[in-house]
Amino acid sequence: MTGIGSPCGACKFLRRKCVNGCVFAPYFSHEQGAAHFAAIHKVFGASNVSKLLMHLPVADRCEAALTISYEARARLQDPIYGCVSHIFALQQQVFNLQEQLASLKTQASQGLAMAVQLHPMDNFLSTSRGL
């Protein structure tokens, strides 16, 4: 239970009384938990998520609840790929940025080489020293 008389977000969404020791209470607050839990309930079902959380060590449940929530929202946006589409998009961004970085490094090294070749004073000094 999250507060005196107030159900957790999951129990609020499910319209049930939040009992002491509710598996959802620590992870779905009264204020915003119902909105987050709605996607989870729609995609995975409350019973499945409850069983999953109960089989995990308490220390891992918070991360699992966040991950399940993220995956559920991603699955609502993309029912086939879920968060995998986000991963692919991020990998493509990394690849594009690596290509841009390599291109900029090449341009910078070419610009530096040209600056050394074109600086007339350096050429004058190097030829006059040889005399």
Side-chain angles (χ1 to χ4, degrees):
M1 208 138 135
T2 57
I4 300 172
S6 61
C8 70
C11 291
K12 182 179 175 182
F13 177 80
L14 296 170
R15 296 182 182 174
R16 68 181 188 194
K17 184 179 178 182
C18 190
V19 296
N20 219 3
C22 172
V23 70
F24 299 120
Y27 318 109
F28 301 99
S29 68
H30 174 72
E31 294 81 29
Q32 298 169 349
H36 290 279
F37 191 78
I40 290 172
H41 178 65
K42 186 171 185 173
V43 174
F44 298 113
S47 177
N48 290 331
V49 175
S50 172
K51 289 175 191 173
L52 179 77
L53 290 175
M54 291 299 291
H55 284 88
L56 290 174
V58 175
D60 296 335
R61 290 181 186 177
C62 183
E63 192 67 34
L66 289 171
T67 303
I68 292 167
S69 178
Y70 181 81
E71 177 64 28
R73 286 182 277 135
R75 290 227 177 208
L76 288 177
Q77 290 178 346
D78 187 344
I80 295 172
Y81 293 107
C83 69
V84 173
S85 64
H86 294 260
I87 294 168
F88 286 150
L90 290 171
Q91 285 176 333
Q92 188 61 46
Q93 265 187 316
V94 168
F95 179 75
N96 291 340
L97 290 171
Q98 286 172 334
E99 283 185 334
Q100 287 178 4
L101 181 60
S103 174
L104 290 172
K105 283 181 178 179
T106 302
Q107 288 175 7
S109 66
Q110 289 172 350
L112 183 60
M114 292 204 46
V116 169
Q117 290 174 355
L118 294 178
H119 197 278
M121 200 60 168
D122 285 343
N123 287 336
F124 174 74
L125 290 175
S126 64
T127 56
S128 63
R129 285 186 195 143
L131 292 175

